[in-house]
Amino acid sequence: MPEPLVACPSCGLEVPEGKFCKLCGEPLTQSEREIEPDHEIVLDQDLGFSEEIQEIEPVSLPHFEVTIENMHYEAGAILMAHAELSVIDDELDKMIEKIKATRQALQLQQADKSVLTTRAEALRTEFEQTKNRRRELTSVKEKLVLEQILDALDKHEARLSKLEEISGTVDKEVYKEQRIEILQTIKDLRSNLKEAIKTGKSWSKGIKKTLKTLDKEMSRLDAKFKIGDVSRPKYETSRAKLERCIKVVKNGQKRLDELLRLADKR
């Protein structure tokens, strides 16, 4: 019989019932936090960290032209949102330069005012659309489970270090209780990290497959253009779109590989 699942108030994912989330390591219920002895609450304040749970507010994830093999859409959208941001920023920089150049050209006496004005308006529209897309991407605050676990490990290892620093200034029983609790949390997180690494490596394979698919689509488009099945305007538009998709996916691959490298070191 499958274990009953509950929604983790920290990472928002469904996990088996228990005291702590099996994915991010945070407590699953507020009630457990409320029944902790007062001396533990005071100790947490002395250490300078808060155990409050911040629930993730649900947001609609942006739409992407490409989906990653082996990844759930939500995880893929989170990864791609951060990956596309660097592409967007480069595009905005280039648009600003084009707008400046167009304005300078309009100052020339021999300039074709009508053509340049139309170009400037088109650039302005494109610039606003790109800015709106950037706002949409930056609205994604969620993190991949792998990153959440790494952040949680950093947090609880820092707690352990701070506890050791004040070990001589607190009650021995309180110190022992806190140390056991922190070490167990770290142990659980490291166990969860192994599963997250396994999942992340599966995602990495999916990204490579997706890139191969995009490369094949690019080759197919080139072939259709060369034999005359696709007009030049459509070819150039489609190729630019594919190149952009590839760039975004490669950025996502770079970010995931970086997280996996950090995880392997833990």
Side-chain angles (χ1 to χ4, degrees):
M1 184 175 179
E3 293 184 79
L5 301 177
V6 295
C8 173
S10 180
C11 67
L13 299 175
E14 289 191 344
V15 294
E17 284 184 346
K19 187 175 180 181
F20 296 99
C21 173
K22 297 298 183 184
L23 291 175
C24 69
E26 295 295 334
L28 287 175
T29 61
Q30 182 66 28
S31 58
E32 290 184 7
R33 208 176 286 281
E34 291 170 351
I35 62 175
E36 290 180 348
D38 290 342
H39 64 259
E40 289 191 3
I41 296 174
V42 173
L43 180 60
D44 283 356
Q45 291 172 347
D46 290 341
L47 289 176
F49 56 79
S50 169
E51 291 291 331
E52 293 181 1
I53 297 174
Q54 296 182 350
E55 294 190 13
I56 298 174
E57 295 183 4
V59 295
S60 57
L61 293 169
H63 172 72
F64 293 89
E65 297 294 335
V66 61
T67 55
I68 306 300
E69 291 192 39
N70 301 344
M71 285 189 83
H72 293 299
Y73 180 77
E74 291 79 5
I78 291 169
L79 182 63
M80 290 299 102
H82 295 287
E84 189 179 341
L85 271 173
S86 61
V87 175
I88 287 276
D89 288 340
D90 287 342
E91 290 171 344
L92 287 171
D93 288 340
K94 290 176 182 178
M95 284 181 205
I96 290 171
E97 292 302 316
K98 288 181 180 179
I99 290 171
K100 287 180 180 178
T102 303
R103 286 176 178 171
Q104 291 174 354
L106 278 167
Q107 304 303 316
L108 300 175
Q109 290 185 351
Q110 67 272 28
D112 187 329
K113 305 291 184 182
S114 176
V115 172
L116 290 173
T117 300
T118 301
R119 182 186 301 170
E121 291 174 352
L123 283 169
R124 191 179 299 111
T125 299
E126 186 181 0
F127 184 75
E128 290 302 321
Q129 289 174 344
T130 306
K131 280 204 305 181
N132 289 337
R133 175 61 175 176
R134 191 181 193 285
R135 292 190 192 100
E136 189 180 10
L137 295 173
T138 54
S139 71
V140 179
K141 305 299 182 184
E142 295 89 342
K143 294 181 178 180
L144 296 174
V145 171
L146 179 60
E147 188 171 4
Q148 290 182 43
I149 294 175
L150 288 171
D151 288 346
L153 270 172
D154 287 340
K155 171 186 172 182
H156 291 294
E157 286 174 352
R159 287 180 64 199
L160 185 61
S161 295
K162 289 178 182 178
L163 180 63
E164 298 297 342
E165 289 174 6
I166 64 167
S167 60
T169 65
V170 296
D171 181 85
K172 290 183 179 179
E173 286 299 316
V174 174
Y175 164 77
K176 184 178 179 181
E177 290 171 4
Q178 289 286 309
R179 191 170 187 276
I180 290 173
E181 179 267 317
I182 295 173
L183 287 173
Q184 183 60 49
T185 300
I186 290 174
K187 181 180 178 182
D188 291 341
L189 284 169
R190 284 179 175 159
S191 176
N192 296 335
L193 185 61
K194 290 180 182 178
E195 289 301 314
I197 289 173
K198 184 178 178 181
T199 300
K201 289 181 177 178
S202 173
W203 290 349
S204 183
K205 290 179 181 178
I207 290 176
K208 290 175 182 176
K209 288 180 182 178
T210 301
L211 285 171
K212 285 184 179 180
T213 300
L214 290 171
D215 285 339
K216 187 178 290 185
E217 188 62 30
M218 182 75 81
S219 179
R220 185 179 294 113
L221 177 65
D222 287 342
K224 287 184 176 181
F225 172 66
K226 289 175 181 177
I227 64 176
D229 287 352
V230 177
S231 65
R232 178 171 290 280
K234 184 177 180 180
Y235 168 74
E236 291 177 350
T237 300
S238 298
R239 185 174 179 82
K241 187 176 179 180
L242 276 170
E243 286 175 344
R244 190 180 190 278
C245 281
I246 291 171
K247 191 181 295 185
V248 171
V249 174
K250 283 184 175 180
N251 282 348
Q253 182 183 40
K254 182 179 178 181
R255 175 56 180 160
L256 181 58
D257 288 346
E258 180 185 347
L259 289 172
L260 286 171
R261 279 195 295 272
L262 290 173
D264 283 333
K265 291 179 181 179
R266 306 302 287 268

